[in-house]
Amino acid sequence: MQEHSNRVRHLGKTIVFVPTMGFFHKGHLSLINEGRKLGDELVVSIFVNPVQFGPGEDFESYPRDIDRDIGLAQKEGANIIFIPDKKELYPQRFQTHVNLKELPNHLCGLSRPALFSGVATIITKLFNIVKPHVAIFGKKDYQQLVIIRQMAFDLNFDVKIVGVSTAREPDGLAMSSRNSYLTDKQRVYALSICKSLKKAQELLESGINDAAKIIESASKLIKSYPETVIDYIAICDPETLVDIKRIDRQALMAIAVKVGNTRLIDNIMLNPNT
Ligand code: PAF
């Protein structure tokens, strides 16, 4: 992969990179599609990264379908599908991890302590292997996006980080590989997440800008559905992820809920002036 990227760079071509854990849905395809517009050589990686899963999380059961993914990525215009081997990326003597000080201490980082060290580490490795000019990430994993932006800034990665809007099912559910774990009933209960985000924007538009009130309303709505356990509902600064009390400027509202055994996340930008 490194030799190929060197050759492509030598020809003066731009490498665009879409890192993924596979099991593609339309959200991944929209990242790949966006990537095609932003450069010459489009590299898609598929790797379920073990170090970003904590004990008891779903590393083993994470959905995988490599053959289908390869077909879809090719159809969407990927030039290279990079499928590294776990032993090659993490040999026994591996001992370096990339950690950020502040940004992981919010939202998902609180209940998934291994997550962002694992993400920052694998993305550092993949950037050094794929050598992209541009890398694309989905905004559904908003905290991941700001962490990667910060890491690229702090470590002087010469890579432009591009965020792409969350792809949604027609009824509003944010697309996620983990949606495949949901039963038909749970799929309905999961809608409580995007409904509560939509209601939050409506409340804001009706003049309520007290974050605690908006969070309380979202919490009530989600709890009114069976099999839902809220991990967090937060309204925070979109750059620092620090909680905001009054929404007098653009704010990120982010939610994580367990529906049955499936942990789902979603978010929106709350805009006071729309
Ligand atoms: O968002 C994901 O699928 C993963 O966290 C990523 C960025 C591919 C790193 O493993």
Side-chain angles (χ1 to χ4, degrees):
M1 185 69 240
Q2 281 173 323
E3 280 169 14
H4 177 78
S5 290
N6 285 342
R7 277 195 297 274
V8 173
R9 280 183 160 256
H10 196 68
L11 293 170
K13 290 187 177 173
T14 308
I15 301 174
V16 183
F17 179 37
V18 182
T20 81
M21 299 207 298
F23 208 69
F24 292 160
H25 50 68
K26 282 191 193 136
H28 293 108
L29 303 185
S30 79
L31 301 183
I32 299 173
N33 199 24
E34 186 62 29
R36 227 179 27 199
K37 301 177 200 154
L38 299 178
D40 308 308
E41 182 84 350
L42 180 57
V43 179
V44 176
S45 68
I46 302 174
F47 181 64
V48 184
N49 174 35
V51 305
Q52 71 185 73
F53 290 80
E57 291 185 357
D58 57 346
F59 172 69
E60 296 298 340
S61 60
Y62 195 84
R64 292 162 169 90
D65 192 342
I66 284 283
D67 293 339
R68 180 174 165 274
D69 287 347
I70 292 172
L72 288 170
Q74 275 173 337
K75 212 166 135 203
E76 216 58 38
N79 301 103
I80 299 283
I81 302 163
F82 177 49
I83 308 175
D85 182 61
K86 194 167 94 183
K87 288 203 192 81
E88 215 176 329
L89 282 191
Y90 297 113
Q92 262 193 344
R93 65 192 180 93
F94 184 85
Q95 54 179 302
T96 305
H97 289 266
V98 179
N99 292 302
L100 288 85
K101 234 183 189 162
E102 302 289 345
L103 286 170
N105 304 334
H106 303 274
L107 309 178
C108 291
L110 297 176
S111 45
R112 301 189 62 195
L115 176 60
F116 293 115
S117 169
V119 167
T121 302
I122 189 66
I123 293 300
T124 299
K125 287 169 70 64
L126 290 171
F127 279 3
N128 286 330
I129 296 168
V130 175
K131 308 183 186 207
H133 296 85
V134 181
I136 303 190
F137 297 86
K139 288 187 183 168
K140 184 173 80 72
D141 298 298
Y142 188 88
Q143 186 173 17
Q144 170 170 280
L145 176 63
V146 290
I147 282 177
I148 289 166
R149 272 193 212 288
Q150 184 69 42
M151 176 186 88
F153 173 78
D154 289 345
L155 301 182
N156 306 90
F157 280 114
D158 196 7
V159 181
K160 183 177 176 206
I161 308 298
V162 174
V164 171
S165 301
T166 303
R168 295 183 181 279
E169 302 286 356
D171 58 10
L173 183 70
M175 288 192 188
S176 163
S177 304
R178 290 190 171 99
N179 290 349
S180 63
Y181 297 147
L182 300 170
T183 64
D184 287 350
K185 276 188 179 160
Q186 289 170 342
R187 168 77 182 61
V188 175
Y189 308 153
L191 287 175
S192 61
I193 305 170
C194 60
K195 282 187 177 160
S196 65
L197 290 170
K198 191 161 172 264
K199 190 166 171 211
Q201 180 63 38
E202 287 165 8
L203 288 175
L204 186 62
E205 281 162 18
S206 77
I208 297 172
N209 69 357
D210 180 341
K213 280 197 182 134
I214 293 180
I215 289 173
E216 178 56 27
S217 142
S219 168
K220 263 195 193 146
L221 195 151
I222 292 168
K223 284 179 185 160
S224 72
Y225 284 76
E227 294 192 57
T228 56
V229 177
I230 296 169
D231 177 359
Y232 64 78
I233 303 176
I235 295 179
C236 59
D237 181 281
E239 277 169 29
T240 63
L241 308 181
V242 171
D243 284 345
I244 284 177
K245 284 201 165 72
R246 196 157 296 284
I247 308 163
D248 46 14
R249 60 198 148 102
Q250 191 179 63
L252 175 78
M253 179 160 176
I255 297 185
V257 174
K258 260 192 152 186
V259 182
N261 290 323
T262 306
R263 189 175 176 283
L264 299 174
I265 58 171
D266 199 355
N267 66 78
I268 54 162
M269 277 304 170
L270 293 176
N271 288 300
N273 301 319
T274 54

